[in-house]
Amino acid sequence: WGLLQASPGKSGRIGLRPVLMYGSAGGVYYLAILLNFVGRTLWSLRWSEEAAVFLGTFFLASLQQAAEVLRRCMWNILRVEWQCICKGKGPRNDKGTPV
């Protein structure tokens, strides 16, 4: 998916692929990485007895399920973007050639 690929000549996009469709600065992708980390961390709290006692079992389960749905939706959108780039339907310059 392009994670941790070198981006030659692009100093502000460390760890991202050269072709991006959502935001040229890469902020959307860094946010997606952060939200993925938070979502997976919430999911791992299911084995924490302290979290269940502190937040309540029902609230914790609801929070985990909502975060997992949102995380999967986010990654599905990024997967569609990756498929568009792979099939040559990504961003193009003024002459119609892929960037």
Side-chain angles (χ1 to χ4, degrees):
W1 290 13
L3 184 63
L4 299 179
Q5 288 182 354
S7 299
K10 305 287 185 184
S11 62
R13 297 184 347 203
I14 298 170
L16 300 178
R17 64 179 174 262
V19 178
L20 302 175
M21 292 179 69
Y22 304 124
S24 60
V28 172
Y29 300 92
Y30 293 122
L31 180 64
I33 292 168
L34 178 68
L35 291 176
N36 184 55
F37 177 76
V38 169
R40 289 189 181 264
T41 303
L42 282 173
W43 181 82
S44 68
L45 286 177
R46 113 180 12 200
W47 292 283
S48 172
E49 293 178 16
E50 292 84 9
V53 169
F54 180 70
L55 294 173
T57 308
F58 178 76
F59 178 74
L60 183 60
S62 300
L63 184 65
Q64 289 170 339
Q65 291 170 5
E68 183 66 15
V69 168
L70 293 174
R71 190 185 70 78
R72 288 180 185 240
C73 288
M74 175 185 63
W75 284 109
N76 281 329
I77 291 169
L78 293 174
R79 177 69 178 165
V80 168
E81 177 213 24
W82 177 242
Q83 289 299 313
C84 288
I85 290 170
C86 288
K87 295 186 184 289
K89 297 178 182 176
R92 298 181 180 274
N93 63 14
D94 294 337
K95 297 179 184 178
T97 56
V99 176

